[in-house]
Structure formats: C-alpha cells, structure tokens
C-alpha cells in the first residue's frame, strides 16, 4: 500500500480523512507538502537535481521537500525529507516558517521553511530514486536556471532571497547538519 496522507481543507486544517498519496482528491480537499530551503552565510542555496527516474519533472533542479504523511506536521516532513533525500540531519527546531503556496487545481498546499547552515555537499548521501545531484547555487544562478526551464518554478523565490538578506550575517551557520 502507498503512503498515507491526511486530507486538509483550504485553511490547512486536517479534515479527519486520509488518502493514499497519488489518489485524486475531491473538491475542497488538499494534500499538504513541505519544502526546506537551506542557505549558508555566503548567500548560496543548497539545491538538488531530481532523479531522471522521477515521473514528475525528472532532471529539474529544486529545493528539498515532499508530501506530509498522515499524523506528521509540515516541519517534521521537511526535516524527514532532507534526511531521506540528501542524507542531512536537520535539528527539528532549526527551520523557520517562511510562507505558504497553494495550487487549488492540483489540490496542494505547500508550507515553506528555511534554515541557515553550512554543509559539505560532497559528503551528502543521495537517495538515487529521488535525487541525482546536489550543489550550492546563488539566487542569481537559480533565476537563470528558472529562465532556462531547468529549475522548478517557485513563485516566491523573492521571499527566500529577502529572508537570506536579512539573516545571512546573524544566522550563526554553525553546521547543525550531520550526514547519515
């Protein structure tokens, strides 16, 4: 059986129902997903290239994230996804809530979190069915990748950049990550 996920309403409240990930949702029903934006003091974002094996957007660069499982919070999901996909353990208290995206036609709500940490991308342990490559990129490089159609179309990348600009010098970047 597939992954069980809670069904949410538009106000991001659990309805009490669950569904198997990939199943169609009815009117007014939403799946919750979570993204984790990881940046460092130099102003780079850690991005991943989706595996060529992925059914949806294979080979596209993106941030880290995925679906929220049943009885899991969005914060827990972004921490879990970072560990599963790229082998980085994130302190669950470290990510800061950033913003919410909604796609009514896709029945999807995405909660976005951000954290500032240093990490050696070369020591990452990638989940091959999910991720084929990992690297640090500047926001300018990411915008170029978007224009070229090689980076996922995040509509609020400016919010990520604004947060980075405000917190880059004071974030601490202590390296609260360890590879698994």
């Amino acid at each position: 059986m597939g992954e069980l996920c809670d069904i949410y309403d538009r106000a991001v409240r659990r309805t009490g129902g669950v569904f198997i990930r990939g199943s169609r949702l009815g009117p007014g029903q939403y799946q919750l997903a979570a993204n984790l934006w990881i940046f460092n003091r130099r102003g780079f974002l850690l991005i991943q290239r989706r595996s060529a094996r992925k059914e949806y957007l294979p080979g596209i660069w993106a941030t880290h994230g995925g679906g929220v499982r049943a009885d899991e919070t969005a914060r827990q999901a972004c921490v879990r996804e970072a560990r599963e996909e790229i082998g980085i353990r994130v302190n669950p208290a470290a990510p800061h809530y950033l913003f919410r995206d909604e796609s009514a036609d896709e029945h999807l709500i995405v909660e976005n979190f951000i954290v500032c940490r240093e990490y050696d991308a070369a020591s990452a342990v990638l989940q091959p069915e999910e991720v084929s490559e990992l690297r640090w990129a500047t926001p300018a490089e990411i915008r170029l990748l978007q224009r070229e159609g090689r980076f996922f179309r995040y509509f609020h990348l400016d919010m990520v950049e604004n947060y980075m600009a405000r917190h880059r010098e004071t974030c601490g970047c202590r390296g609260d990550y360890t590879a698994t």
Side-chain angles (χ1 to χ4, degrees):
M1 182 162 83
E3 203 171 86
L4 279 181
C5 300
D6 289 316
I7 298 173
Y8 290 82
D9 64 17
R10 191 171 186 175
V12 196
R13 292 182 301 239
R14 287 184 174 104
T15 65
V18 294
F19 72 103
I20 296 172
R21 186 173 175 188
S23 302
R24 292 181 66 85
L25 292 169
Q29 295 181 327
Y30 292 85
Q31 175 183 359
L32 185 61
N35 287 331
L36 181 63
W37 296 89
I38 302 169
F39 74 103
N40 65 19
R41 188 172 284 163
R42 295 180 309 145
F44 288 73
L45 285 157
L46 188 61
I47 61 174
Q48 65 181 35
R49 184 177 218 157
R50 294 171 57 84
S51 170
R53 301 178 203 169
K54 296 292 288 181
E55 194 173 313
Y56 180 69
L57 298 175
I60 292 291
W61 288 93
T63 192
H64 322 285
V68 177
R69 295 177 179 164
D71 295 324
E72 183 178 53
T73 67
R75 179 184 298 274
Q76 290 167 332
C78 73
V79 168
R80 174 183 50 77
E81 290 285 349
R83 184 183 69 249
E84 289 176 358
E85 292 181 354
I86 59 176
I88 295 175
R89 292 193 183 274
V90 178
N91 176 342
H96 298 276
Y97 180 79
L98 196 56
F99 62 89
R100 176 182 299 150
D101 272 329
E102 177 188 324
S103 175
D105 36 323
E106 293 181 18
H107 297 271
L108 183 65
I109 296 172
V110 182
E111 303 263 289
N112 286 266
F113 294 84
I114 191 165
V115 66
C116 176
R117 294 294 181 265
E118 299 295 339
Y119 184 72
D120 178 11
S123 68
V125 180
L126 306 182
Q127 184 181 22
E129 57 275 5
E130 295 286 336
V131 179
S132 63
E133 196 175 340
L134 185 70
R135 74 178 183 99
W136 290 100
T138 66
E141 290 173 306
I142 290 171
R143 290 209 183 274
L144 176 62
L145 288 169
Q146 276 187 330
R147 283 193 300 278
E148 295 172 347
R150 297 188 305 139
F151 194 85
F152 188 85
R153 189 52 134 180
Y154 296 104
F155 295 107
H156 301 296
L157 188 55
D158 58 323
M159 294 175 103
V160 174
E161 290 179 78
N162 289 339
Y163 185 94
M164 288 170 53
R166 288 192 319 271
H167 297 280
R168 200 168 95 193
E169 296 304 318
T170 61
C171 72
C173 288
R174 293 178 306 275
D176 282 359
Y177 297 114
T178 56
T180 54

